[in-house]
Amino acid sequence: MTDAEELRARTRTLLEEHPPATTDRTDFLRARFDAGLAWVHYPVGLGGLDAPRALQSVVDAELAAAGAPDNDPRKIGIGLGMAAPTVLAHGSDEVKRRFLRPLWVGEEVWCQLFSEPGAGSDLAALATRAVRDGEDWVVDGQKVWTSSAHTARWAILIARTDPDAPKHRGITYFVCDMTDPGVEVRPLRQITGEAEFNEVFLTGVRIPDAHRLGEVGDGWRVAQTTLMNERVSIGGSRIPREGGMIGKAATTWRERPELRTHELHRRLLDHWVDAEVARLAGERLRQQLVAGRPGPEGSAMKLAFARLNQAISGLEVELLGDEGLLYGEWEMRRPNLVDFTGRDAGYRYLRSKGNSIEGGTSEVLLNIVAERVLGLPPEPRNDKDVAWKDLAR
């Protein structure tokens, strides 16, 4: 069993052999992965050492103290938070060796081809088809609300492979090469004026069967691995005390005393307490993740994240009065990163509207909390045993 002292020794050896001050950033990250210090709980040879997940903090602290570069998780969040755990849990050995190293280093960006125009909240109703043709699958369909599709090299994709099966049982999970012929990415401009999301059209895209994750028709179960990790990634993000949206509102409150009223003060305090509760609950969620249990509680955190962001950003606009209605820039941009708190109060207010849609709508998450956390009876479903091709659409 690898312990903390051994990890410190391995980390110091890495730093001696690859001094951060004189080593190219990418070369350092590759060396870190090969030393098993990327994610220590992963298997040996895949960036880890089969060590307890909680010991990652030992490595991170040593590297931070030495000024070593990181892999910029904000830029590769979908790869790290969603693709990697799914590849590890359901990919073949060849798939794991091929994808995990460049994913962690950040040499290859990933996106997520799940949502569709006719199957967003009801993801299992998706209509993108994959048909077997020899050693390949041929994929046709359309995806939407795809973050990072314009920068991604790879995508995790779910597609329908058996329309005669009920909707949850006729789906298969693939890794799609975004540079292949037939993949078309179009910007999707949002209410903020930016186009961080995309539409992705798939026309006769050939995916080798070797890039399938899990069994044919078992894609819904594989997708649950992705979705649980996604909600933890969004709702359980580590932020400092009075960070995120509440930090922006509190700063405005302190710097602009002329805007204050008793009523706004009361509401700001209520939101501050709620934000602190959410922050501490997020820490508990991360401890659960450290133990390898990204459970359905992540849905509650993601739900709280969306509600708080919308309430606090609304209060900040209200606090600023007419000034809060100003909007600095509405030029279409194609950002590589999702920025929830950047720019001005108007931007934060508009961007927060997407928080209750992206990563699972609030309505879907309420159902998950009700059924899987609270154990309440599930909603009646009249499509449970009906072939997907016979469903009304």
Side-chain angles (χ1 to χ4, degrees), residues 14 18-33 67-76 80 101-109:
L14 171 71
H18 304 276
T22 57
T23 303
D24 174 78
R25 174 181 176 276
T26 302
D27 289 342
F28 182 88
L29 294 173
R30 289 173 181 155
R32 177 179 169 182
F33 186 95
D70 71 9
N71 56 354
D72 202 347
R74 288 200 314 147
K75 288 185 178 179
I76 53 175
L80 290 175
R101 187 174 188 256
L103 181 159
W104 188 87
V105 171
E107 296 173 291
E108 293 178 343
V109 175

Side-chain angles (χ1 to χ4, degrees), residues 49-354:
L49 295 167
D50 286 315
R53 190 170 186 156
L55 293 181
Q56 183 68 51
S57 60
V58 174
V59 175
D60 294 343
E62 289 284 330
L63 294 176
D70 71 9
N71 56 354
D72 202 347
R74 288 200 314 147
K75 288 185 178 179
I76 53 175
I78 294 174
L80 290 175
M82 301 166 214
T86 311
V87 167
L88 181 67
H90 303 284
S92 66
D93 290 343
E94 180 182 354
V95 164
K96 294 173 191 173
R97 285 193 297 272
R98 164 61 186 87
F99 290 117
L100 290 178
R101 187 174 188 256
L103 181 159
W104 188 87
V105 171
E107 296 173 291
E108 293 178 343
V109 175
W110 287 65
C111 66
Q112 181 188 34
L113 297 177
F114 278 22
S115 296
E116 297 188 5
S121 298
D122 187 10
L123 180 59
L126 63 89
T128 292
R129 291 288 310 276
V131 177
R132 186 72 183 258
D133 182 18
E135 292 303 310
D136 294 340
W137 293 83
V138 180
V139 180
D140 290 277
Q142 179 189 355
K143 300 290 181 176
V144 72
W145 309 117
T146 310
S147 303
S148 303
H150 55 295
T151 60
R153 167 63 200 279
W154 297 100
I156 43 179
L157 162 74
I158 49 177
R160 187 158 304 282
T161 51
D162 184 0
D164 293 321
K167 63 181 184 180
H168 290 89
R169 297 203 291 268
I171 295 170
T172 304
Y173 198 119
F174 302 95
V175 173
C176 175
D177 188 340
M178 293 294 288
T179 66
D180 271 348
V183 178
E184 181 185 0
V185 178
R186 300 179 188 173
L188 192 60
R189 197 172 189 192
Q190 300 148 227
I191 192 173
T192 60
E194 296 185 335
E196 73 193 45
F197 292 138
N198 302 272
E199 294 178 294
V200 179
F201 295 83
L202 305 156
T203 307
V205 179
R206 300 188 76 86
I207 298 178
D209 187 57
H211 285 184
R212 171 170 47 83
L213 302 185
E215 300 299 322
V216 174
D218 198 29
W220 186 250
R221 186 177 68 86
V222 180
Q224 297 313 302
T225 302
T226 307
L227 295 173
M228 284 196 293
N229 281 281
E230 178 182 24
R231 286 155 194 166
V232 172
S233 297
I234 296 175
S237 300
R238 175 165 279 149
I239 56 175
R241 186 173 185 176
E242 210 174 274
M245 206 71 84
I246 192 65
K248 298 290 185 182
T251 298
T252 301
W253 178 267
R254 293 190 180 103
E255 294 178 349
R256 302 287 300 275
E258 75 278 10
L259 303 174
R260 299 172 186 171
T261 68
H262 175 74
E263 172 62 14
L264 290 171
H265 188 210
R266 184 192 61 76
R267 289 167 57 193
L268 179 64
L269 284 177
D270 286 346
H271 290 327
W272 194 96
V273 171
D274 289 344
E276 186 63 5
V277 169
R279 186 182 72 82
L280 295 174
E283 188 60 41
R284 180 69 184 87
L285 190 65
R286 282 187 291 278
Q287 292 174 6
Q288 189 172 311
L289 185 62
V290 166
R293 299 192 300 271
E297 294 83 358
S299 297
M301 282 304 306
K302 196 271 175 181
L303 191 62
F305 164 81
R307 288 179 170 179
L308 264 174
N309 270 3
Q310 291 170 359
I312 296 170
S313 62
L315 176 66
E316 187 185 12
V317 168
E318 199 173 338
L319 172 64
L320 289 167
D322 292 346
E323 186 182 334
L325 300 178
L326 300 175
Y327 200 81
E329 181 183 355
W330 209 70
E331 295 296 320
M332 190 177 94
R333 301 191 297 182
R334 300 276 277 154
N336 294 335
L337 296 173
V338 177
D339 188 356
F340 295 123
T341 58
R343 297 169 60 180
D344 51 27
Y347 170 85
R348 288 190 281 277
Y349 177 75
L350 293 180
R351 182 61 186 81
S352 72
K353 301 304 177 188

